[in-house]
Amino acid sequence: MLSLKEKERYQRQLILKGFGEKAQEVLKKSRVAIFGLGGLGSPVSLYLAASGVGHLYLFDYQRVELSNLNRQILYQTKDVGEEKSEVAKKALLALNPEIEVESYSQRLEEAVEIWKEADLLIDCLDNLEGRLFLNKFAVKQRKPLISAGVEGWNGYLYTYLPQKTSCLNCIFGEKTNKEGIFPVIGVTPGILGMLEAAEAIKYLLSMEVSSAGQILFFNLESFSFNLIKVRKNSSCEVCR
Ligand SMILES: [Zn+2]
């Protein structure tokens, strides 16, 4: 049951067509793990917290740096030097004290046991190695995985649904990890993170997820958006 305060907080989405209190209660019972609390993880976690997803697991082992602040909108200048996972947890609970937030300042491979509790995994990482590690876990544990990546004005979005779609390894398995600092303007992960959050809400509410089995590529400079069907790679070592 939703409290009076919750009904007021979520009033504008409760009146969405086909939404209502039942959908809000589904969100409240949902458990979502967010990997990476940077340019993508900031909007993902803020919007999922604001919409009332009841339990968020946050994973990031890094500390806030001044050069993060052009895009990582969870943090303020005073947070430089602090652990991202802790600052993020405080910010999200300040926004919505009705939800529960667990934060972990560990490397990915050290936190695997905790991921098993989540209904949905969201990849907000900035490296291919981490993505493919998450993907392997998602396929093995049959967990849905929403993934996004950015560089410059470019971004992609893709959702893996267990036993229904190709996995990330089918798409990126043969690419090599890029090392070092890459350019990015804050609006690119901003928009992409919001798309990830939108797809997450749709998945949790059993709505059709448009990016499942189809990859969105966009470039904000030329304002081009392309949705491309992804075929299963029959030689994929992860999902075949
Ligand atoms: Zn695959």
Side-chain angles (χ1 to χ4, degrees):
M1 284 286 282
L2 299 176
S3 67
L4 282 177
K5 266 192 175 171
E6 285 172 304
K7 284 181 191 168
E8 187 177 346
R9 176 181 290 270
Y10 307 122
Q11 184 192 33
R12 295 290 284 265
Q13 62 198 51
L14 289 174
I15 57 173
L16 268 172
K17 199 175 164 218
F19 201 95
E21 285 188 34
K22 257 196 184 153
Q24 193 63 52
E25 278 170 25
V26 171
L27 289 186
K28 191 175 174 177
K29 283 193 195 117
S30 298
R31 296 173 169 266
V32 175
I34 300 168
F35 302 91
L37 299 167
L40 292 164
S42 288
V44 167
S45 59
L46 283 164
Y47 276 95
L48 293 185
S51 67
V53 171
H55 202 108
L56 297 177
Y57 302 87
L58 311 176
F59 299 92
D60 200 310
Y61 66 89
Q62 290 179 325
R63 290 175 183 269
V64 181
E65 293 176 20
L66 190 58
S67 63
N68 298 154
L69 301 185
N70 80 321
R71 62 197 185 283
Q72 304 188 10
I73 57 168
L74 267 171
Y75 315 111
Q76 302 180 2
T77 307
K78 67 173 170 55
D79 301 323
V80 169
E82 302 290 330
E83 281 189 351
K84 285 186 182 178
S85 58
E86 273 310 301
V87 179
K89 180 180 176 178
K90 275 187 202 148
L92 298 176
L93 288 173
L95 168 63
N96 190 351
E98 306 285 351
I99 63 167
E100 286 169 37
V101 180
E102 288 181 40
S103 63
Y104 296 92
S105 187
Q106 287 164 298
R107 292 198 172 256
L108 279 186
E109 51 282 7
E110 293 164 6
V112 175
E113 280 307 306
I114 304 158
W115 309 355
K116 290 181 183 163
E117 296 172 17
D119 306 311
L120 170 65
L121 314 176
I122 307 187
D123 162 21
C124 299
L125 299 170
D126 61 358
N127 67 88
L128 184 62
E129 206 183 329
R131 275 181 221 304
L132 293 179
F133 185 74
L134 267 186
N135 177 68
K136 256 189 198 162
F137 174 86
V139 174
K140 200 171 163 198
Q141 297 288 329
R142 297 187 181 180
K143 301 269 184 192
L145 171 66
I146 299 175
S147 174
V150 293
E151 186 171 335
W153 297 92
N154 295 297
Y156 85 83
L157 172 74
Y158 182 74
T159 298
Y160 161 74
L161 295 182
Q163 318 216 282
K164 287 189 181 156
T165 72
S166 325
C167 78
L168 282 182
N169 192 67
C170 292
I171 306 171
F172 299 121
E174 277 158 28
K175 288 216 162 44
T176 47
N177 211 12
K178 278 190 188 169
E179 299 287 340
I181 295 173
F182 58 88
V184 62
I185 177 102
V187 288
T188 312
I191 286 172
L192 209 43
M194 281 192 244
L195 291 177
E196 285 191 289
E199 294 295 75
I201 290 169
K202 284 158 64 185
Y203 172 79
L204 295 172
L205 297 182
S206 305
M207 294 165 69
E208 196 178 331
V209 178
S210 319
S211 59
Q214 303 191 92
I215 189 164
L216 171 75
F217 286 110
F218 70 72
N219 179 289
L220 293 176
E221 198 177 9
S222 59
F223 213 69
S224 58
F225 292 75
N226 292 299
L227 196 56
I228 299 162
K229 267 214 156 65
V230 179
R231 279 206 210 122
K232 224 172 179 163
N233 179 348
S234 54
S235 59
C236 176
E237 287 172 2
V238 178
C239 72
R240 72 178 166 189

